[in-house]
Amino acid sequence: MHRYSYLALLVLLLTMLSGCRPSAHIESPDDGDTFDSGETIYFSASATDIEDGDLPDSALVWTSDIDGTIGRGVSFSSDNLTAGAHTITLTATDSDGEEDTDIIEITIEPADNQTGTGRRARLKAAETWMYQIGMLDESGAVEALAVTDYPLLVLEPGHNHRPCSDDFTPQDFGIPQENRDDACADVYSTRSMLSALRKTPAGDERLLIAYIDIGQAEWYRDYWIEGWAPPTATSAGTPDFILAADPDGWLGNFVVRYWDTAWQDIWLGTQTSDGIITELARLGFDGVYLDWVEAYDDDRVQDEALKDGVDAAEEMGAFIKEIGDTGRAVTQEFLVIAQNATFLIDEFDDPTEYTDTIDALAVEDTWYYGNGSSENWNDGDGDVGPWDISDRLTCEQQNCTAEITGLDTVCPNEDETETCLETYPVSGDLHGGTRHTCPEGTDGTPNCWSTENRLSAYERYLAQGVPVFTVDYCISEDKADRVYKTARSK
């Protein structure tokens, strides 16, 4: 055969391939499914093309014969479809403009027939929850969570880590070479994780909440780009909204000037690009869990706010509102859970200025805490050092001149037992010290962190209809039982 014949066959083959249609398939919901009005519906699909491979999110459009375009991409969620019988059509378009569609029928029950299964209703009904922001990339980790019956899971997204690839040079990101392993992380599929955890073994829908840190920049995230640099002891980082290292010693975490437009653009997006919040909502997260809201009370942040002529508390409240609004632009019942910053509610003349921006408050250390850090965190059973919790408590008793009574396990004068903290760091069962006592004259004020003062503040949230979730660090079962019983009685 002449080479011209080969060329003709090749041209014919390429012509045939370019005329092939892609393949679109709706994976969820199932054809014929029925939902309550306001209930969150999770849409997912696959779409491939013989030339293009897996089609990008921009190539997939979802429409309803009642509501028009309802979403784009491989997955998204919606809780605002109109009541009635919907014909849902997925259209996938390849790079040649060829299309394929898949169609299902679903029904949205009218409001009169609702069973109260919306996100906020399920959040308020949750009596226990699971919070895991590490080691989700390890074999079996997601599977272990999948077999639990927790109705609420707070999870760390795994797709936006900086991968530990061979060509990663930390100096390009202002990071010392010795911290290379701390400045990258294993990337895992957030979408696959959400799919595996969406329902409990009993078939009930879970709430899946994304952990994010809005008051600190983390150098292992993919938003920390080349040219950025951490702050020094005497100057801000690059960009200059990066102010200082985390005060608790967590490596690679840096307090930020969170009202800075450049920082907020990362989360809220711009006119030309989506931010992290939109991305998380489209992936199918039911909401976000905000760490380091307490940045408003950090001394370095307060100094910057004074320079900029702004109120740090008001700026944090405004940022949180924008986060919620951005998420709800994608899905109507997008949840916002604030961690800690218990007394932020008292910074506003009208408490609803803050409580209307959040759907729940989650608080650490109400009864028990740990003093492990990124350098020495352990469970108190001696897997990092040759000690356990009893060694720590004995040390506290022997070195404290005051009597340690009641719930307290830590000396009220922590300077006397500093050696105990350094020698026997443990991750739970600790009560007292500066964490749970009030400086003289501070009773009933935000400077008093006693358990009683915290509980009083929680009541102010509950009075506004905001549920409060507790996170206490316990090693012994008796202390964990006490926390469960006491928290549920409030």
Side-chain angles (χ1 to χ4, degrees), residues 237-266:
T238 304
D240 64 4
F241 59 69
I242 305 175
L243 300 180
D246 174 82
D248 296 320
W250 292 100
L251 186 65
N253 289 31
F254 304 94
V255 181
V256 298
R257 189 172 58 244
Y258 50 81
W259 56 91
D260 190 285
T261 301
W263 174 250
Q264 293 198 2
D265 284 348
I266 293 171

PDB file of all heavy atoms in Angstrom, residues 237-266:
ATOM      1  N   GLY A 237       5.438  39.125  56.695  1.00  0.00           N
ATOM      2  CA  GLY A 237       5.841  38.267  55.586  1.00  0.00           C
ATOM      3  C   GLY A 237       5.476  38.885  54.254  1.00  0.00           C
ATOM      4  O   GLY A 237       5.188  40.078  54.139  1.00  0.00           O
ATOM      5  N   THR A 238       5.501  38.048  53.231  1.00  0.00           N
ATOM      6  CA  THR A 238       5.111  38.450  51.885  1.00  0.00           C
ATOM      7  C   THR A 238       4.023  37.485  51.408  1.00  0.00           C
ATOM      8  O   THR A 238       4.255  36.280  51.384  1.00  0.00           O
ATOM      9  CB  THR A 238       6.293  38.387  50.908  1.00  0.00           C
ATOM     10  OG1 THR A 238       7.352  39.201  51.407  1.00  0.00           O
ATOM     11  CG2 THR A 238       5.887  38.869  49.534  1.00  0.00           C
ATOM     12  N   PRO A 239       2.830  38.008  51.075  1.00  0.00           N
ATOM     13  CA  PRO A 239       2.362  39.394  51.142  1.00  0.00           C
ATOM     14  C   PRO A 239       2.345  39.919  52.576  1.00  0.00           C
ATOM     15  O   PRO A 239       2.383  39.143  53.522  1.00  0.00           O
ATOM     16  CB  PRO A 239       0.943  39.315  50.557  1.00  0.00           C
ATOM     17  CG  PRO A 239       0.878  38.020  49.818  1.00  0.00           C
ATOM     18  CD  PRO A 239       1.790  37.095  50.548  1.00  0.00           C
ATOM     19  N   ASP A 240       2.218  41.227  52.716  1.00  0.00           N
ATOM     20  CA  ASP A 240       2.379  41.801  54.047  1.00  0.00           C
ATOM     21  C   ASP A 240       1.173  41.616  54.954  1.00  0.00           C
ATOM     22  O   ASP A 240       1.186  42.074  56.095  1.00  0.00           O
ATOM     23  CB  ASP A 240       2.754  43.280  53.962  1.00  0.00           C
ATOM     24  CG  ASP A 240       1.679  44.152  53.327  1.00  0.00           C
ATOM     25  OD1 ASP A 240       0.586  43.623  53.004  1.00  0.00           O
ATOM     26  OD2 ASP A 240       1.924  45.358  53.157  1.00  0.00           O
ATOM     27  N   PHE A 241       0.114  40.934  54.447  1.00  0.00           N
ATOM     28  CA  PHE A 241      -0.979  40.597  55.364  1.00  0.00           C
ATOM     29  C   PHE A 241      -0.608  39.419  56.262  1.00  0.00           C
ATOM     30  O   PHE A 241      -1.329  39.105  57.209  1.00  0.00           O
ATOM     31  CB  PHE A 241      -2.296  40.332  54.627  1.00  0.00           C
ATOM     32  CG  PHE A 241      -2.273  39.206  53.618  1.00  0.00           C
ATOM     33  CD1 PHE A 241      -2.148  37.878  54.009  1.00  0.00           C
ATOM     34  CD2 PHE A 241      -2.421  39.482  52.262  1.00  0.00           C
ATOM     35  CE1 PHE A 241      -2.162  36.850  53.081  1.00  0.00           C
ATOM     36  CE2 PHE A 241      -2.428  38.468  51.314  1.00  0.00           C
ATOM     37  CZ  PHE A 241      -2.291  37.141  51.735  1.00  0.00           C
ATOM     38  N   ILE A 242       0.507  38.740  55.978  1.00  0.00           N
ATOM     39  CA  ILE A 242       0.995  37.660  56.842  1.00  0.00           C
ATOM     40  C   ILE A 242       1.782  38.309  57.973  1.00  0.00           C
ATOM     41  O   ILE A 242       2.864  38.862  57.756  1.00  0.00           O
ATOM     42  CB  ILE A 242       1.874  36.676  56.056  1.00  0.00           C
ATOM     43  CG1 ILE A 242       1.125  36.131  54.834  1.00  0.00           C
ATOM     44  CG2 ILE A 242       2.329  35.528  56.948  1.00  0.00           C
ATOM     45  CD1 ILE A 242       1.968  35.250  53.931  1.00  0.00           C
ATOM     46  N   LEU A 243       1.246  38.234  59.187  1.00  0.00           N
ATOM     47  CA  LEU A 243       1.764  39.066  60.275  1.00  0.00           C
ATOM     48  C   LEU A 243       2.780  38.376  61.175  1.00  0.00           C
ATOM     49  O   LEU A 243       3.820  38.946  61.492  1.00  0.00           O
ATOM     50  CB  LEU A 243       0.596  39.564  61.144  1.00  0.00           C
ATOM     51  CG  LEU A 243      -0.464  40.400  60.439  1.00  0.00           C
ATOM     52  CD1 LEU A 243      -1.551  40.806  61.422  1.00  0.00           C
ATOM     53  CD2 LEU A 243       0.168  41.627  59.797  1.00  0.00           C
ATOM     54  N   ALA A 244       2.468  37.164  61.645  1.00  0.00           N
ATOM     55  CA  ALA A 244       3.307  36.561  62.687  1.00  0.00           C
ATOM     56  C   ALA A 244       3.032  35.068  62.767  1.00  0.00           C
ATOM     57  O   ALA A 244       2.001  34.573  62.286  1.00  0.00           O
ATOM     58  CB  ALA A 244       3.032  37.220  64.040  1.00  0.00           C
ATOM     59  N   ALA A 245       3.953  34.349  63.407  1.00  0.00           N
ATOM     60  CA  ALA A 245       3.810  32.909  63.577  1.00  0.00           C
ATOM     61  C   ALA A 245       2.674  32.591  64.548  1.00  0.00           C
ATOM     62  O   ALA A 245       2.314  33.402  65.414  1.00  0.00           O
ATOM     63  CB  ALA A 245       5.115  32.311  64.089  1.00  0.00           C
ATOM     64  N   ASP A 246       2.085  31.427  64.403  1.00  0.00           N
ATOM     65  CA  ASP A 246       1.036  30.973  65.301  1.00  0.00           C
ATOM     66  C   ASP A 246       1.518  31.023  66.749  1.00  0.00           C
ATOM     67  O   ASP A 246       2.605  30.530  67.062  1.00  0.00           O
ATOM     68  CB  ASP A 246       0.646  29.535  64.941  1.00  0.00           C
ATOM     69  CG  ASP A 246      -0.340  28.943  65.918  1.00  0.00           C
ATOM     70  OD1 ASP A 246      -1.531  29.210  65.778  1.00  0.00           O
ATOM     71  OD2 ASP A 246       0.107  28.218  66.837  1.00  0.00           O
ATOM     72  N   PRO A 247       0.747  31.620  67.652  1.00  0.00           N
ATOM     73  CA  PRO A 247       1.220  31.792  69.028  1.00  0.00           C
ATOM     74  C   PRO A 247       1.343  30.493  69.806  1.00  0.00           C
ATOM     75  O   PRO A 247       2.040  30.444  70.828  1.00  0.00           O
ATOM     76  CB  PRO A 247       0.159  32.707  69.651  1.00  0.00           C
ATOM     77  CG  PRO A 247      -1.064  32.485  68.833  1.00  0.00           C
ATOM     78  CD  PRO A 247      -0.573  32.236  67.448  1.00  0.00           C
ATOM     79  N   ASP A 248       0.665  29.425  69.337  1.00  0.00           N
ATOM     80  CA  ASP A 248       0.739  28.142  70.034  1.00  0.00           C
ATOM     81  C   ASP A 248       1.826  27.227  69.476  1.00  0.00           C
ATOM     82  O   ASP A 248       1.957  26.081  69.916  1.00  0.00           O
ATOM     83  CB  ASP A 248      -0.611  27.425  69.962  1.00  0.00           C
ATOM     84  CG  ASP A 248      -1.699  28.205  70.692  1.00  0.00           C
ATOM     85  OD1 ASP A 248      -1.400  28.749  71.769  1.00  0.00           O
ATOM     86  OD2 ASP A 248      -2.827  28.268  70.176  1.00  0.00           O
ATOM     87  N   GLY A 249       2.586  27.723  68.513  1.00  0.00           N
ATOM     88  CA  GLY A 249       3.720  26.958  68.026  1.00  0.00           C
ATOM     89  C   GLY A 249       3.455  26.015  66.877  1.00  0.00           C
ATOM     90  O   GLY A 249       4.314  25.200  66.535  1.00  0.00           O
ATOM     91  N   TRP A 250       2.274  26.090  66.246  1.00  0.00           N
ATOM     92  CA  TRP A 250       1.996  25.206  65.116  1.00  0.00           C
ATOM     93  C   TRP A 250       2.806  25.656  63.903  1.00  0.00           C
ATOM     94  O   TRP A 250       2.599  26.726  63.346  1.00  0.00           O
ATOM     95  CB  TRP A 250       0.500  25.182  64.808  1.00  0.00           C
ATOM     96  CG  TRP A 250      -0.290  24.527  65.895  1.00  0.00           C
ATOM     97  CD1 TRP A 250      -0.993  25.157  66.888  1.00  0.00           C
ATOM     98  CD2 TRP A 250      -0.433  23.128  66.122  1.00  0.00           C
ATOM     99  NE1 TRP A 250      -1.571  24.222  67.710  1.00  0.00           N
ATOM    100  CE2 TRP A 250      -1.245  22.970  67.275  1.00  0.00           C
ATOM    101  CE3 TRP A 250       0.039  21.980  65.490  1.00  0.00           C
ATOM    102  CZ2 TRP A 250      -1.596  21.727  67.796  1.00  0.00           C
ATOM    103  CZ3 TRP A 250      -0.312  20.734  65.999  1.00  0.00           C
ATOM    104  CH2 TRP A 250      -1.109  20.607  67.124  1.00  0.00           C
ATOM    105  N   LEU A 251       3.724  24.811  63.490  1.00  0.00           N
ATOM    106  CA  LEU A 251       4.668  25.141  62.425  1.00  0.00           C
ATOM    107  C   LEU A 251       3.952  25.367  61.098  1.00  0.00           C
ATOM    108  O   LEU A 251       3.085  24.592  60.702  1.00  0.00           O
ATOM    109  CB  LEU A 251       5.695  24.011  62.272  1.00  0.00           C
ATOM    110  CG  LEU A 251       6.856  24.242  61.307  1.00  0.00           C
ATOM    111  CD1 LEU A 251       7.740  25.380  61.804  1.00  0.00           C
ATOM    112  CD2 LEU A 251       7.674  22.960  61.147  1.00  0.00           C
ATOM    113  N   GLY A 252       4.326  26.445  60.408  1.00  0.00           N
ATOM    114  CA  GLY A 252       3.777  26.720  59.088  1.00  0.00           C
ATOM    115  C   GLY A 252       2.437  27.426  59.097  1.00  0.00           C
ATOM    116  O   GLY A 252       1.823  27.602  58.040  1.00  0.00           O
ATOM    117  N   ASN A 253       1.964  27.843  60.274  1.00  0.00           N
ATOM    118  CA  ASN A 253       0.715  28.594  60.388  1.00  0.00           C
ATOM    119  C   ASN A 253       1.029  30.022  60.829  1.00  0.00           C
ATOM    120  O   ASN A 253       1.773  30.221  61.791  1.00  0.00           O
ATOM    121  CB  ASN A 253      -0.221  27.940  61.406  1.00  0.00           C
ATOM    122  CG  ASN A 253      -0.805  26.636  60.911  1.00  0.00           C
ATOM    123  OD1 ASN A 253      -0.176  25.923  60.141  1.00  0.00           O
ATOM    124  ND2 ASN A 253      -2.002  26.319  61.352  1.00  0.00           N
ATOM    125  N   PHE A 254       0.409  31.004  60.155  1.00  0.00           N
ATOM    126  CA  PHE A 254       0.770  32.399  60.403  1.00  0.00           C
ATOM    127  C   PHE A 254      -0.478  33.281  60.480  1.00  0.00           C
ATOM    128  O   PHE A 254      -1.339  33.244  59.590  1.00  0.00           O
ATOM    129  CB  PHE A 254       1.696  32.904  59.296  1.00  0.00           C
ATOM    130  CG  PHE A 254       2.934  32.063  59.126  1.00  0.00           C
ATOM    131  CD1 PHE A 254       2.959  31.037  58.190  1.00  0.00           C
ATOM    132  CD2 PHE A 254       4.045  32.270  59.925  1.00  0.00           C
ATOM    133  CE1 PHE A 254       4.089  30.239  58.045  1.00  0.00           C
ATOM    134  CE2 PHE A 254       5.175  31.479  59.789  1.00  0.00           C
ATOM    135  CZ  PHE A 254       5.199  30.461  58.852  1.00  0.00           C
ATOM    136  N   VAL A 255      -0.554  34.051  61.537  1.00  0.00           N
ATOM    137  CA  VAL A 255      -1.674  34.964  61.740  1.00  0.00           C
ATOM    138  C   VAL A 255      -1.700  36.005  60.621  1.00  0.00           C
ATOM    139  O   VAL A 255      -0.646  36.509  60.214  1.00  0.00           O
ATOM    140  CB  VAL A 255      -1.547  35.664  63.115  1.00  0.00           C
ATOM    141  CG1 VAL A 255      -2.736  36.595  63.349  1.00  0.00           C
ATOM    142  CG2 VAL A 255      -1.434  34.630  64.232  1.00  0.00           C
ATOM    143  N   VAL A 256      -2.907  36.328  60.149  1.00  0.00           N
ATOM    144  CA  VAL A 256      -3.026  37.261  59.023  1.00  0.00           C
ATOM    145  C   VAL A 256      -3.901  38.464  59.375  1.00  0.00           C
ATOM    146  O   VAL A 256      -4.694  38.432  60.308  1.00  0.00           O
ATOM    147  CB  VAL A 256      -3.618  36.566  57.773  1.00  0.00           C
ATOM    148  CG1 VAL A 256      -2.718  35.450  57.290  1.00  0.00           C
ATOM    149  CG2 VAL A 256      -5.028  36.066  58.048  1.00  0.00           C
ATOM    150  N   ARG A 257      -3.735  39.513  58.576  1.00  0.00           N
ATOM    151  CA  ARG A 257      -4.631  40.677  58.612  1.00  0.00           C
ATOM    152  C   ARG A 257      -5.816  40.315  57.713  1.00  0.00           C
ATOM    153  O   ARG A 257      -5.820  40.576  56.512  1.00  0.00           O
ATOM    154  CB  ARG A 257      -3.891  41.914  58.094  1.00  0.00           C
ATOM    155  CG  ARG A 257      -4.646  43.222  58.277  1.00  0.00           C
ATOM    156  CD  ARG A 257      -3.797  44.440  57.933  1.00  0.00           C
ATOM    157  NE  ARG A 257      -3.307  44.414  56.579  1.00  0.00           N
ATOM    158  CZ  ARG A 257      -2.013  44.339  56.223  1.00  0.00           C
ATOM    159  NH1 ARG A 257      -1.068  44.286  57.143  1.00  0.00           N
ATOM    160  NH2 ARG A 257      -1.666  44.340  54.948  1.00  0.00           N
ATOM    161  N   TYR A 258      -6.816  39.681  58.315  1.00  0.00           N
ATOM    162  CA  TYR A 258      -7.867  38.993  57.568  1.00  0.00           C
ATOM    163  C   TYR A 258      -8.820  39.931  56.839  1.00  0.00           C
ATOM    164  O   TYR A 258      -9.613  39.487  56.010  1.00  0.00           O
ATOM    165  CB  TYR A 258      -8.656  38.052  58.491  1.00  0.00           C
ATOM    166  CG  TYR A 258      -9.126  38.711  59.769  1.00  0.00           C
ATOM    167  CD1 TYR A 258     -10.264  39.504  59.801  1.00  0.00           C
ATOM    168  CD2 TYR A 258      -8.404  38.555  60.949  1.00  0.00           C
ATOM    169  CE1 TYR A 258     -10.672  40.118  60.955  1.00  0.00           C
ATOM    170  CE2 TYR A 258      -8.801  39.169  62.119  1.00  0.00           C
ATOM    171  CZ  TYR A 258      -9.940  39.945  62.123  1.00  0.00           C
ATOM    172  OH  TYR A 258     -10.345  40.565  63.279  1.00  0.00           O
ATOM    173  N   TRP A 259      -8.801  41.228  57.132  1.00  0.00           N
ATOM    174  CA  TRP A 259      -9.652  42.166  56.390  1.00  0.00           C
ATOM    175  C   TRP A 259      -8.977  42.653  55.108  1.00  0.00           C
ATOM    176  O   TRP A 259      -9.576  43.393  54.332  1.00  0.00           O
ATOM    177  CB  TRP A 259     -10.037  43.357  57.265  1.00  0.00           C
ATOM    178  CG  TRP A 259      -8.879  44.113  57.852  1.00  0.00           C
ATOM    179  CD1 TRP A 259      -8.230  45.184  57.306  1.00  0.00           C
ATOM    180  CD2 TRP A 259      -8.222  43.846  59.097  1.00  0.00           C
ATOM    181  NE1 TRP A 259      -7.208  45.605  58.123  1.00  0.00           N
ATOM    182  CE2 TRP A 259      -7.189  44.798  59.247  1.00  0.00           C
ATOM    183  CE3 TRP A 259      -8.411  42.893  60.106  1.00  0.00           C
ATOM    184  CZ2 TRP A 259      -6.340  44.819  60.350  1.00  0.00           C
ATOM    185  CZ3 TRP A 259      -7.574  42.917  61.209  1.00  0.00           C
ATOM    186  CH2 TRP A 259      -6.559  43.882  61.331  1.00  0.00           C
ATOM    187  N   ASP A 260      -7.759  42.218  54.878  1.00  0.00           N
ATOM    188  CA  ASP A 260      -7.040  42.592  53.660  1.00  0.00           C
ATOM    189  C   ASP A 260      -7.747  41.998  52.440  1.00  0.00           C
ATOM    190  O   ASP A 260      -8.090  40.815  52.413  1.00  0.00           O
ATOM    191  CB  ASP A 260      -5.596  42.086  53.740  1.00  0.00           C
ATOM    192  CG  ASP A 260      -4.734  42.636  52.627  1.00  0.00           C
ATOM    193  OD1 ASP A 260      -4.879  42.168  51.477  1.00  0.00           O
ATOM    194  OD2 ASP A 260      -3.900  43.517  52.896  1.00  0.00           O
ATOM    195  N   THR A 261      -7.978  42.814  51.432  1.00  0.00           N
ATOM    196  CA  THR A 261      -8.711  42.368  50.245  1.00  0.00           C
ATOM    197  C   THR A 261      -8.047  41.172  49.570  1.00  0.00           C
ATOM    198  O   THR A 261      -8.730  40.238  49.129  1.00  0.00           O
ATOM    199  CB  THR A 261      -8.846  43.524  49.234  1.00  0.00           C
ATOM    200  OG1 THR A 261      -9.530  44.614  49.846  1.00  0.00           O
ATOM    201  CG2 THR A 261      -9.611  43.082  47.994  1.00  0.00           C
ATOM    202  N   ALA A 262      -6.717  41.174  49.499  1.00  0.00           N
ATOM    203  CA  ALA A 262      -6.013  40.077  48.834  1.00  0.00           C
ATOM    204  C   ALA A 262      -6.243  38.750  49.562  1.00  0.00           C
ATOM    205  O   ALA A 262      -6.375  37.701  48.924  1.00  0.00           O
ATOM    206  CB  ALA A 262      -4.520  40.390  48.748  1.00  0.00           C
ATOM    207  N   TRP A 263      -6.284  38.792  50.895  1.00  0.00           N
ATOM    208  CA  TRP A 263      -6.546  37.566  51.660  1.00  0.00           C
ATOM    209  C   TRP A 263      -7.993  37.121  51.457  1.00  0.00           C
ATOM    210  O   TRP A 263      -8.271  35.935  51.221  1.00  0.00           O
ATOM    211  CB  TRP A 263      -6.261  37.797  53.137  1.00  0.00           C
ATOM    212  CG  TRP A 263      -6.640  36.652  54.036  1.00  0.00           C
ATOM    213  CD1 TRP A 263      -7.662  36.624  54.935  1.00  0.00           C
ATOM    214  CD2 TRP A 263      -6.005  35.366  54.120  1.00  0.00           C
ATOM    215  NE1 TRP A 263      -7.710  35.410  55.577  1.00  0.00           N
ATOM    216  CE2 TRP A 263      -6.702  34.620  55.100  1.00  0.00           C
ATOM    217  CE3 TRP A 263      -4.924  34.776  53.472  1.00  0.00           C
ATOM    218  CZ2 TRP A 263      -6.341  33.303  55.431  1.00  0.00           C
ATOM    219  CZ3 TRP A 263      -4.566  33.473  53.807  1.00  0.00           C
ATOM    220  CH2 TRP A 263      -5.270  32.749  54.769  1.00  0.00           C
ATOM    221  N   GLN A 264      -8.928  38.043  51.523  1.00  0.00           N
ATOM    222  CA  GLN A 264     -10.332  37.676  51.368  1.00  0.00           C
ATOM    223  C   GLN A 264     -10.636  37.175  49.959  1.00  0.00           C
ATOM    224  O   GLN A 264     -11.499  36.307  49.777  1.00  0.00           O
ATOM    225  CB  GLN A 264     -11.227  38.859  51.736  1.00  0.00           C
ATOM    226  CG  GLN A 264     -11.166  39.222  53.210  1.00  0.00           C
ATOM    227  CD  GLN A 264     -12.328  40.081  53.672  1.00  0.00           C
ATOM    228  OE1 GLN A 264     -13.239  40.392  52.903  1.00  0.00           O
ATOM    229  NE2 GLN A 264     -12.306  40.469  54.942  1.00  0.00           N
ATOM    230  N   ASP A 265      -9.941  37.697  48.955  1.00  0.00           N
ATOM    231  CA  ASP A 265     -10.153  37.231  47.586  1.00  0.00           C
ATOM    232  C   ASP A 265      -9.852  35.743  47.440  1.00  0.00           C
ATOM    233  O   ASP A 265     -10.474  35.042  46.625  1.00  0.00           O
ATOM    234  CB  ASP A 265      -9.289  38.019  46.604  1.00  0.00           C
ATOM    235  CG  ASP A 265      -9.823  39.416  46.336  1.00  0.00           C
ATOM    236  OD1 ASP A 265     -10.965  39.698  46.730  1.00  0.00           O
ATOM    237  OD2 ASP A 265      -9.078  40.230  45.741  1.00  0.00           O
ATOM    238  N   ILE A 266      -8.888  35.238  48.202  1.00  0.00           N
ATOM    239  CA  ILE A 266      -8.554  33.815  48.152  1.00  0.00           C
ATOM    240  C   ILE A 266      -9.769  32.981  48.532  1.00  0.00           C
ATOM    241  O   ILE A 266     -10.031  31.916  47.949  1.00  0.00           O
ATOM    242  CB  ILE A 266      -7.372  33.512  49.087  1.00  0.00           C
ATOM    243  CG1 ILE A 266      -6.093  34.168  48.571  1.00  0.00           C
ATOM    244  CG2 ILE A 266      -7.166  32.005  49.273  1.00  0.00           C
ATOM    245  CD1 ILE A 266      -4.926  34.102  49.538  1.00  0.00           C
TER     246      ILE A 266
END
